[in-house]
Amino acid sequence: MGLRIGYISAGRRGPETIADDLRTAGCEVVKAETGSGRILASILEFIGEGDELVVPSLAHVIDQSPLEILDQLERKHAILYAVHEEFSTRG
């Protein structure tokens, strides 16, 4: 298994608590969006084969072109995991 990268979208309440939850879920790195959308873009650029993008819930990516995100992750052989829904793109 690769690196687990946590992502918190902009405008969420209590990002510190959410970040702690993501670390508990095994994330080595947790990044919070500032509103520009650049954090997610940089994660998608950086993420590699076997790595996992971990979000607290699908709501954190639903307003940011989720199909495009899934396509980018698939091309890099990376995984999306949503903690709340227990949703994973792992085969």
Side-chain angles (χ1 to χ4, degrees):
M1 185 197 248
L3 183 66
R4 294 190 93 191
I5 305 167
Y7 171 72
I8 304 167
S9 61
R12 301 296 173 176
R13 294 183 186 204
E16 299 84 15
T17 303
I18 295 171
D20 288 342
D21 291 344
L22 290 173
R23 285 187 194 93
T24 299
C27 293
E28 293 91 352
V29 176
V30 176
K31 298 287 184 181
E33 192 62 71
T34 58
S36 66
R38 294 184 183 159
I39 299 294
L40 181 57
S42 69
I43 291 171
L44 293 172
E45 187 176 309
F46 169 81
I47 203 163
E49 185 173 348
D51 292 344
E52 193 168 11
L53 174 61
V54 181
V55 294
S57 72
L58 290 173
H60 286 257
V61 294
I62 203 72
D63 59 345
Q64 301 201 23
S65 303
L67 294 177
E68 184 177 319
I69 292 167
L70 289 172
D71 183 55
Q72 289 180 46
L73 292 171
E74 184 177 331
R75 280 187 274 132
K76 292 187 166 207
H77 303 283
I79 299 159
L80 173 66
Y81 179 69
V83 175
H84 179 73
E85 294 88 350
E86 295 184 4
F87 169 85
S88 177
T89 60
R90 181 182 320 249

